[in-house]
Amino acid sequence: MNETATAASFVAKWRERWPEWSVAEAFVEPGQRAVAEAWFALLQEFHEAAWSGEDPTPGLAKLAWWHEELEGWAKGVRRHPLGQVLQRQPAPWSVLARALNALPATRGVPAEKAAPGLANLAGAVAECEEALFGLSTEAAGTGGVPAVWQLAERALMTGDGPDVAWLLQHWPGPGGATRPRRLHAALVRRRLQALPGDGKAVPTRGWRVLLASWRAARGR
């Protein structure tokens, strides 16, 4: 890991991909905003390792590295710059580390078949987010962080158009998820709905972002 890298550089890379967050973050409690963006930047690192590029080999090595890194976080040791923000948070890092093992098998697999294999990862992400952000008063039920939301980000990253209809058909309600997760899921859904025929995702603009964020913040 480049020692000159900072948590801010990874967050900036994530925010560049998700400019809509500049609107959505207004609905996140100020004290949680830095943790939220670092958390989503972390998940983006996992997704890129698992699903980007034509050759899966480098990604496998990165996921193995992340497994060791998260186990280190659980023991109070960190190397990655995002650990500057996240490592001391009371999240089940070891659980997340073990769940990363499911990602390689989902590469190139249709969403319908990949979703069951991501159940453990979805559960680990939900546990971490509840520890990081808690459940707001708007949340109800046990929606958690379903695998559909993970696979939706894959579809946006890879431009896998055939998965979009299935993902939107199985899109879960917001119940049980933390507010930062509900907000991000709303942005992901808006992009999926607007995905053009060439599979190149583009940010949602204007009042649609504000409305989607407001509804997500209220648990709708």
Side-chain angles (χ1 to χ4, degrees), residues 179-194:
R179 179 176 290 187
R181 168 54 61 182
R182 298 199 310 273
L183 289 164
H184 192 262
L187 301 182
V188 172
R189 187 182 189 186
R190 287 294 313 174
R191 282 205 190 180
L192 279 183
Q193 291 171 328

Side-chain angles (χ1 to χ4, degrees), residues 108-128:
V109 178
E112 183 177 3
K113 295 182 179 180
L118 286 179
N120 287 341
L121 177 61
V125 169
E127 287 185 45
C128 286

Side-chain angles (χ1 to χ4, degrees), residues 47-122:
H47 296 159
E48 288 183 345
W51 299 321
S52 66
E54 296 183 1
D55 182 2
T57 306
L60 290 173
K62 288 180 182 179
L63 287 174
W65 187 93
W66 272 114
H67 179 100
E68 294 182 2
E69 177 70 359
L70 293 174
E71 290 288 6
W73 288 11
K75 300 174 183 177
V77 179
R78 60 172 171 79
R79 293 172 292 176
H80 196 278
L82 287 172
Q84 298 167 7
V85 179
L86 295 172
Q87 182 264 319
R88 294 183 181 178
Q89 301 296 323
W93 301 120
S94 288
V95 175
L96 182 60
R98 293 191 296 270
L100 291 181
N101 295 334
L103 278 170
T106 65
R107 186 182 178 92
V109 178
E112 183 177 3
K113 295 182 179 180
L118 286 179
N120 287 341
L121 177 61

Side-chain angles (χ1 to χ4, degrees), residues 103-193:
L103 278 170
T106 65
R107 186 182 178 92
V109 178
E112 183 177 3
K113 295 182 179 180
L118 286 179
N120 287 341
L121 177 61
V125 169
E127 287 185 45
C128 286
E129 292 185 356
E130 185 171 351
L132 293 172
F133 310 118
L135 290 179
S136 61
T137 56
E138 299 91 344
T142 56
V145 185
V148 167
W149 290 347
Q150 305 291 313
L151 291 168
E153 294 208 52
R154 185 186 71 169
L156 294 177
M157 180 182 298
T158 63
D160 195 357
D163 277 344
V164 173
W166 186 89
L167 290 166
L168 290 175
Q169 182 181 354
H170 291 81
W171 200 263
T178 65
R179 179 176 290 187
R181 168 54 61 182
R182 298 199 310 273
L183 289 164
H184 192 262
L187 301 182
V188 172
R189 187 182 189 186
R190 287 294 313 174
R191 282 205 190 180
L192 279 183
Q193 291 171 328

